[in-house]
């Protein structure tokens, strides 16, 4: 993989790196914490260059429809303002990070950071053409966010060491990767970002 040097027109999008998706969390993604160190490297580059950084977060009400008590598939997770919904302290998000809260109403789930959020508009305001994407989980919010980014006309660089899958069904993460590849997404490792 060739080196990528982020510059004007690039944005970093960190998807749902929240305590509940890390080991010990309510909906732990296996090895979810492994994305933090490589993301910090890319965060440092964007921060140093003054390039836009976005962090999405799952931000559910306590009676959210995706929770089992309401007939949904998931244990309660990322309840707005709870400790589980916070970004881990070890994730070095600069103060000016634009935070995108999603799936905030009881009756609707949203796996994409573009769904019912101002993300596309804000990227447009910054003149963003290409987004570098990492976070959790590969087979849910990363996949759906990347698909929507492509639909909105953005080029996408997927940071392959900055993502991990839930793999509810074994192979879900691999299938998600293949689907993203089929959309023309470029893959890079964090160390390729310089
Ligand atoms: C997610 C399952 C439920 C995600 C969010 O961020 O990938 N997965 N809610
Ligand atoms: Zn959720």
């Amino acid at each position: 993989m060739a080196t990528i040097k982020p510059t004007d027109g690039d944005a970093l999008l960190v998807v749902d790196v929240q305590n509940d998706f890390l080991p010990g969390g309510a909906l732990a993604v296996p090895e979810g914490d492994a994305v933090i160190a490589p993301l910090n490297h890319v965060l440092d580059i964007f921060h140093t260059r003054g390039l836009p950084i976005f962090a999405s977060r799952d931000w559910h009400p306590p009676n959210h429809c995706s929770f089992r008590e309401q007939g949904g598939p998931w244990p309660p997770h990322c309840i707005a303002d709870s400790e589980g919904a916070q970004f881990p302290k070890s994730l070095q998000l600069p103060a000016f990070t634009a935070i995108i809260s999603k799936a905030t109403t009881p009756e609707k789930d949203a796996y994409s950071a573009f769904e019912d959020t101002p993300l596309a508009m804000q990227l447009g305001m910054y003149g963003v053409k290409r987004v570098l994407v990492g976070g959790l989980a590969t087979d849910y919010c990363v996949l759906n966010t990347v698909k929507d980014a492509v639909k909105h006309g953005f080029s996408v660089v997927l940071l392959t060491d900055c993502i991990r899958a839930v793999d509810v069904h074994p192979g879900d993460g691999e299938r998600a990767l293949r689907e993203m590849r089929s959309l023309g997404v470029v893959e890079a490792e964090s160390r390729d970002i310089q």
Side-chain angles (χ1 to χ4, degrees):
M1 176 65 219
T3 297
I4 291 175
K5 289 190 192 302
T7 185
D8 287 350
D10 288 330
L12 175 61
L13 177 51
V14 178
V15 176
D16 295 13
V17 179
Q18 295 168 268
N19 289 330
D20 271 343
F21 294 127
L22 302 181
L27 179 37
V29 177
E31 299 179 2
D33 52 340
V35 306
I36 294 173
L39 277 172
N40 281 342
H41 164 71
V42 185
L43 280 162
D44 181 56
I45 287 172
F46 274 74
H47 183 41
T48 302
R49 286 181 206 162
L51 297 172
I53 298 171
F54 292 81
S56 69
R57 62 185 184 186
D58 223 19
W59 202 247
H60 298 317
N63 59 341
H64 191 247
C65 61
S66 77
F67 298 170
R68 282 181 191 138
E69 291 83 341
Q70 322 295 325
W74 306 113
H77 63 278
C78 297
I79 293 172
D81 290 315
S82 69
E83 187 55 33
Q86 305 305 310
F87 300 119
K89 288 187 179 58
S90 52
L91 184 68
Q92 284 156 21
L93 294 175
F96 63 75
T97 300
I99 294 174
I100 302 291
S101 301
K102 65 178 177 58
T104 59
T105 61
E107 65 281 357
K108 194 161 179 282
D109 203 4
Y111 290 135
S112 163
F114 288 91
E115 206 171 327
D116 304 318
T117 75
L119 178 58
M121 185 202 63
Q122 291 189 16
L123 290 169
M125 280 168 39
Y126 280 104
V128 171
K129 307 286 180 230
R130 181 171 69 170
V131 287
L132 284 70
V133 180
L136 304 170
T138 310
D139 36 359
Y140 291 93
C141 288
V142 172
L143 171 65
N144 286 281
T145 297
V146 163
K147 285 165 72 169
D148 274 353
V150 171
K151 272 185 206 157
H152 279 94
F154 298 104
S155 305
V156 176
V157 175
L158 185 65
L159 301 168
T160 50
D161 56 340
C162 300
I163 58 175
R164 287 295 186 280
V166 184
D167 276 335
V168 170
H169 312 284
D172 280 353
E174 269 308 315
R175 278 186 288 275
L177 266 177
R178 280 204 294 277
E179 187 173 351
M180 290 187 272
R181 275 184 203 126
S182 76
L183 299 173
V185 165
V186 170
E187 292 168 69
E189 290 191 23
S190 56
R191 62 158 184 256
D192 300 324
I193 313 302
Q194 290 168 15

